[in-house]
Amino acid sequence: MTENQPGPCSIVKSFEIVGSKWKLIVLNDLQSGEKRFNQIKRSTEASSRTLSRVLQNLREEGLVEKRMEDGSPVATFYSLTDSGTALYPVFEEIEAWADDWLEGDVKNPEA
């Protein structure tokens, strides 16, 4: 490893932050812009409990921000922070790697 390359510890730490299935799904879903909780729930098919936990964790990590609008009912919106948005090229590279190296239909494993 050269001085310009991150050590394995930074790679491991990065995967600890974003590496779970649901975190990746939510981060990818929010790449298209700000969404309400129920929009994310529908598009990801996550349970309310799972989605709440994942969004809270991503907020604690500084990757997602929450915005609330007054009204009846109160509208809650989620979007990526600059740090979360910066992951977009990483996702593109991982997808390119998967397309090159993983067998079968990764986008539709049941096909």
Side-chain angles (χ1 to χ4, degrees):
M1 215 173 291
T2 67
E3 286 184 28
N4 295 335
Q5 291 180 318
C9 291
S10 61
I11 294 169
V12 170
K13 177 64 176 166
S14 298
F15 274 96
E16 287 173 353
I17 293 171
V18 300
S20 79
K21 170 187 169 181
W22 285 111
K23 287 180 185 177
L24 291 170
I25 289 171
V26 170
L27 288 168
N28 188 56
D29 191 57
L30 287 173
Q31 292 292 331
S32 61
E34 183 179 70
K35 292 186 177 182
R36 292 177 76 154
F37 182 90
N38 282 333
Q39 290 175 300
I40 301 168
K41 185 178 174 211
R42 276 191 303 275
S43 60
T44 63
E45 299 181 359
S47 69
S48 293
R49 181 177 178 195
T50 296
L51 184 56
S52 293
R53 179 182 46 80
V54 168
L55 286 167
Q56 178 62 34
N57 189 266
L58 291 172
R59 287 180 62 223
E60 290 169 1
E61 294 292 350
L63 299 171
V64 168
E65 57 191 8
K66 177 180 177 179
R67 180 177 68 82
M68 297 179 78
E69 281 185 4
D70 290 335
S72 182
V74 173
T76 305
F77 295 88
Y78 294 89
S79 60
L80 295 176
T81 62
D82 290 342
S83 179
T85 301
L87 288 167
Y88 183 73
V90 175
F91 289 158
E92 287 184 320
E93 289 297 320
I94 291 171
E95 184 175 28
W97 176 85
D99 290 345
D100 289 345
W101 294 99
L102 297 181
E103 293 183 23
D105 188 351
V106 176
K107 292 180 182 171
N108 187 8
E110 295 176 10

